[in-house]
Each structure stands twice: as C-alpha cells, then as structure tokens.
Amino acid sequence: MSNESADAIDWREPDPYGVASVPWEGLRVCVVGARVVGISAAYALLDLGADVLLCDRYDDAETAERSAPVAERGAALRLGDDKTLPEGCELLVVVPGIPPSAPIVAAAREAAIPVWGDAELAWRLRKPLPDGSFAPWLGLTGTNGKTTAVRMLAAMLEAAGKRAVACGNVGFPMVDAVLAQDPYEVLAIELSSYQLYWSESLSLLAAAVLNIAPDHLDWHGSMDEYIRAKAKIYERCQIACVYNVADKVTEHMVEEADVVEGCRAIGFTLGAPGLSMLGVVDGILADRAFIENRRSAAAELGTIYDVEPHAPHNVANALAAGALARAYGVPVEAVRDGLRNFRPDPHRIEFVAVLDGVDYVDDSKATNTHAAAASLASYEHIVWIAGGLAKGARFDDLVEKSAKRLRGVVLLGQDRAVIAEALRENAPHVPVRDIGGADTGLDAEASIDLILDAAAELAQQGDTVLLAPACASMDMFVSYNERGDLFAKAVKARKAARG
C-alpha cells in the first residue's frame, strides 16, 4: 500500500513537547520482537491503521502461538528472520533487547528509515486527558534498584489519590499505559538503558538516575556508551533532574543535559541533605528541595523504618522515588503512606528461613556486581552463592570490598571462572566450592541441591547464606525468578524435613 502523505509531513523528526502528526494510516511498519512489548506495539499500530509486519528470530510453536492473535488482527508475520529489512518499510520499531549492531537496524539506518524503541513509540502515541493536557511521565533508571524505586513511586502517587501506574521495564508496556481506555493521570516509568538508547524525543516531567555501574557492556559496546544511553533520560526534562550525590557520574549527567529552562538539579543522599536535596537526618527522610523555606528548614517525609527493607541502598531508592513524587506535587504524607504501603517484589534481599542457625536470603535479582555489592554489604558473615552469565563484568573490586565478610563462596554457572580468579587474587583465604554449570547435565533443581549442600558445609551458626549471583541466570535457569524460586523452595523443604 502506498503512503504518499508520509512524504508531505516531517513526522520523522523528534517532537519533544507534543504529539507528532504521524501519518499512521497505511504506514508500513516493521516491529521486531514477538514478545510482550512487540505484540503490544503491533496491536496499537494496527488500531491506528498501519500496515504491520511482526518478525522474530524464533520460529517455534511457542512464538507462533503467541503471535497468532496479532496475525488474526491483520498483521503479517515473519518468524525465523529478524535480520532482513522488509521491502517498502517506512518505520522500524524494535523491542528493547535488539542491539544497535543488529543487521535489520543497520539496513534501516542505511536506508534513512527511522528506528524507534517502545518508549519512543509510546511517547508519540500519547493521548490527551479530558482537560486537554497529557499525563506527565516520571522516569527512573540506573544500574540497580529501578523496579523497586519505580514501584515505590507508583505507591506514593496512588497514596496521593492519583490514578497512576508503574510501567516500562517493570513489566507493563508503556504503549498499553498511554493508550489505556481509562486514562492514567501520571506514569511512573522504569526505563532501561536499551529503551533509552532507542528514544529520541522524550521530555519527562522529572527523571532520576539511581546509580551507574558496569552492566550490559556486551550490548552497548563500552562503559561510555552505556552511560550515554542512561543520560538520555535527562534530556528535555521539565521540572527536576534527580541525581545520586554519592555517584558523581549521575551528577555529571545532569550537568551535561539539555533541559527545559527552569528545570532543577535535585540530589539525594544517605547523609544530611544540602540545599535542593533529599537525605537522612537521625533516621528521618528529609526534603530540602520541594519546600518554600528550604534554606533553613526541611520537610519530614517519613523515617527509614517506613522503608522495607531499610537497607541503605533501599533507603536511597526511597529517596529518589520521593524526589520524583515531590517534583510532581505529591504531599509529604503521601510519600510516607506510599512507602508504608509498598512491599518489595520477590527475590530482592528476601529472607527465606533459618536453617540450623543460619539465615538464608534470596537476592536472585542481583544480576550484576553493583547489586551484589549492596547485598554483601548488608550482612556480617556470608556464604556467598555467585555465578552465571557475567555479561562482560569483572569482579575484582566486588571481591576486594567484600572479602572480610566472606565465610565461603559457592560458584555456579558459565562464567564462574571469572569470579574464581577474582577470589584467588583478592581473597585467597576464602574457601570456594565449584558446583559447575549447565555442562554438568544436571537440571536446575538438582543444581540448587548441590549449591545448598556446599553452602551448608561452609556456613557456621549466625552466618547468612546469600544468593546474590552478580550474574544473569539464563545459562542454567529460565530467569532470575526461577533461580530464586527454586532456591527458596529447596531451603523451605529442608527446613520442613527437619521438623
């Protein structure tokens, strides 16, 4: 189908403050990735009248079944090939995991065809609220803590009586959020580095970067590129750029950002807050940023005991979420009530059980070194369960900082040798047990049993056996959720067997 109107409208250019006049009717769009985000995008584009081709690298029964309803709605399907750019394609929409090096992306760029991610698509699809305004976006990114912090933020917004939703990388597609039949008044959005890389025109009301540490370097190619992608969250920010006082990289991102005139830099710190900061004073969460007399006073947003768990890194998450909520205009009581109502997701420093005088803790969500460091810093004597897919990370700094806490280490997974080398160099006194990886031929449950046997041999009464792998899980498990679920199930089964 031809689309002559597309040539007359410069819809490809970023439209930061409104909704671009994209000529959707008949626009030939290729959506790459037939999973939750890609299928959400395909449905939305079909509803707008676009000609949609949905492609995916896999051609198996599960992918075909997942894609069939989209085909019934009118999309063309191409399974088993996500490399070839379709003839006549006018817009390429990629799911977050598609890297910039992908052949289909290279072909689109060579042909000067726009490439959008789901965040960019959602921004272009926003619908006005009944009063004619658009629901503000409050965005949050960082290497660790994003999901927890964005859900804290949504709880604060809801405590203020707002119809709000946590969406984006947290699991609910942004496209679905902006097109909801009952519109949301405000969106709390978790943005990954992948999603930010593929965005070009977002203009968030307020944005926060929690922290920066090496992660996804295999996808981005370098630490500099990873930081550059994360920093895009601050571009065109309207009210507040929230940064981590303890992480100078995040502050530098704010300094370099091209923001709307009047946008403020707001810091958060675990210490006493300076001017235009949120921080902690004698256990009180204090706001010196969003009150009139901030030079001489602070507003109390709650206490560290309103944060569950109140480990330091999680208090930092709460402060960042609180800063975004306050930038939107949430009253102090709603910040406190939101924190009290919030319960963390599973597999995030989750206590499982006491077994033979030893605490067992599941932090399977700690899929990189920065997250694992936060877990390891929370306990005094630890048997550490680590390993999996390292994603290009190194472990020397993590081991060196944690060495005094380690009673022993149980290693598993494809890249366990990298951690073993770091232990030999930086903690040679720490005993190590290697249970192997997927090449052992054991299933996931049997591997967990070996892990627990090894951990029990190393642990002493009063210790903590901590599953904080510092690696992704997909070499041996379906996901970090399965890894954590099997760990918790096995620990509880052993406890039950002891009566």
Side-chain angles (χ1 to χ4, degrees):
M1 183 183 294
S2 66
N3 188 21
E4 296 176 0
S5 61
D7 297 329
I9 301 173
D10 195 12
W11 58 270
R12 297 166 179 81
E13 290 300 314
D15 179 51
Y17 309 116
V19 178
S21 298
V22 178
W24 296 113
E25 187 69 36
L27 191 71
R28 295 184 292 270
V29 185
C30 177
V31 178
V32 186
R35 281 165 178 72
V36 174
V37 171
I39 288 173
S40 167
Y43 277 133
L45 291 163
L46 287 168
D47 288 344
L48 291 164
D51 289 346
V52 177
L53 169 67
L54 177 64
C55 67
D56 195 277
R57 75 178 62 181
Y58 298 106
D59 185 8
D60 53 29
E62 182 180 349
T63 306
E65 181 180 0
R66 191 168 50 240
S67 307
V70 189
E72 291 172 5
R73 286 277 296 275
L77 290 185
R78 190 183 71 196
L79 303 183
D81 178 10
D82 67 347
K83 297 180 179 180
T84 308
L85 185 70
E87 185 177 352
C89 178
E90 296 170 288
L91 172 65
L92 188 68
V93 175
V94 295
V95 300
I98 302 298
S101 59
I104 197 168
V105 172
R109 286 175 167 167
E110 176 70 21
I113 294 168
V115 183
W116 294 353
D118 61 314
E120 183 67 24
L121 179 65
W123 182 257
R124 305 274 188 144
L125 294 181
R126 291 171 299 143
K127 297 189 302 183
L129 297 171
D131 65 0
S133 66
F134 292 94
W137 285 24
L138 304 176
L140 202 149
T141 194
T143 303
N144 295 298
K146 298 184 294 296
T147 299
T148 297
V150 83
R151 291 186 62 237
M152 286 178 172
L153 172 59
M156 295 171 189
L157 296 168
E158 290 168 353
K162 300 297 180 181
R163 177 167 162 74
V165 66
C167 60
N169 198 51
V170 72
F172 182 53
M174 283 175 279
V175 169
D176 291 351
V178 299
L179 296 178
Q181 196 163 17
D182 187 4
Y184 293 103
E185 295 177 87
V186 55
L187 305 184
I189 305 176
E190 177 188 338
L191 290 161
S192 70
S193 60
Y194 302 161
Q195 290 168 313
L196 287 164
Y197 178 90
W198 293 118
S199 69
E200 60 184 55
S201 62
L202 276 57
S203 176
L204 278 58
L205 184 80
V209 180
L210 296 174
N211 44 60
I212 292 293
D215 199 16
H216 303 303
L217 302 189
D218 50 348
W219 195 96
H220 288 283
S222 71
M223 188 65 182
D224 286 345
E225 289 300 317
Y226 175 64
I227 291 171
R228 188 172 291 111
K230 289 287 191 185
K232 292 178 76 173
I233 197 170
Y234 289 134
E235 292 298 312
R236 297 167 295 277
C237 200
Q238 300 171 30
I239 298 294
C241 293
V242 179
Y243 67 93
N244 185 345
V245 174
D247 190 328
K248 293 301 180 184
V249 175
T250 67
E251 186 173 7
H252 182 66
M253 288 176 174
V254 175
E255 293 168 349
E256 294 295 312
D258 184 9
V259 300
V260 174
E261 186 175 353
C263 183
R264 299 168 58 201
I266 305 295
F268 66 90
T269 174
L270 293 175
L275 192 63
S276 293
M277 293 183 187
L278 280 70
V280 182
V281 180
D282 296 331
I284 293 171
L285 307 180
D287 172 5
R288 289 193 64 196
F290 299 102
I291 59 172
E292 289 187 10
N293 57 338
R294 57 182 177 271
R295 293 190 176 276
S296 58
E300 181 177 335
L301 303 178
T303 75
I304 60 172
Y305 301 105
D306 294 321
V307 182
E308 178 62 37
H310 55 270
H313 71 281
N314 210 37
V315 174
N317 292 338
L319 290 167
L324 293 176
R326 294 286 283 156
Y328 174 65
V330 161
V332 293
E333 297 82 3
V335 174
R336 178 201 63 207
D337 293 345
L339 289 173
R340 290 177 178 177
N341 295 336
F342 171 75
R343 291 294 176 269
D345 286 341
H347 316 304
R348 290 166 171 81
I349 316 186
E350 183 178 13
F351 173 77
V352 178
V354 178
L355 187 59
D356 298 331
V358 175
D359 289 347
Y360 285 74
V361 175
D362 167 17
D363 194 15
S364 183
K365 182 64 169 65
T367 58
N368 56 54
T369 58
H370 192 267
S375 285
L376 290 164
S378 300
Y379 304 98
E380 187 175 1
H381 299 297
I382 302 163
V383 175
W384 179 31
I385 301 170
L389 295 173
K391 300 178 289 183
R394 307 299 300 178
F395 297 85
D396 295 276
D397 288 347
L398 174 62
V399 170
E400 184 178 4
K401 291 175 182 176
S402 307
K404 293 181 180 179
R405 299 174 182 269
L406 298 178
R407 184 80 72 189
V409 179
V410 181
L411 294 177
L412 71 154
Q414 177 176 303
D415 294 328
R416 63 192 184 280
V418 183
I419 307 175
E421 178 61 26
L423 287 162
R424 281 192 293 271
E425 292 293 325
N426 300 282
H429 64 286
V430 175
V432 176
R433 302 288 186 270
D434 186 334
I435 69 121
D439 53 352
T440 63
L442 297 175
D443 63 22
E445 290 191 34
S447 297
I448 290 291
D449 280 334
L450 284 181
I451 289 167
L452 292 181
D453 288 343
E457 291 177 7
L458 295 167
Q460 301 178 18
Q461 284 205 354
D463 288 354
T464 298
V465 171
L466 176 65
L467 175 66
C471 292
S473 59
M474 288 78 75
D475 57 331
M476 295 178 67
F477 306 92
V478 172
S479 64
Y480 76 81
N481 288 294
E482 185 193 48
R483 181 171 62 188
D485 286 341
L486 291 176
F487 174 79
K489 178 183 176 182
V491 171
K492 290 174 181 176
R494 292 185 179 213
K495 184 173 179 64
R498 285 162 171 73

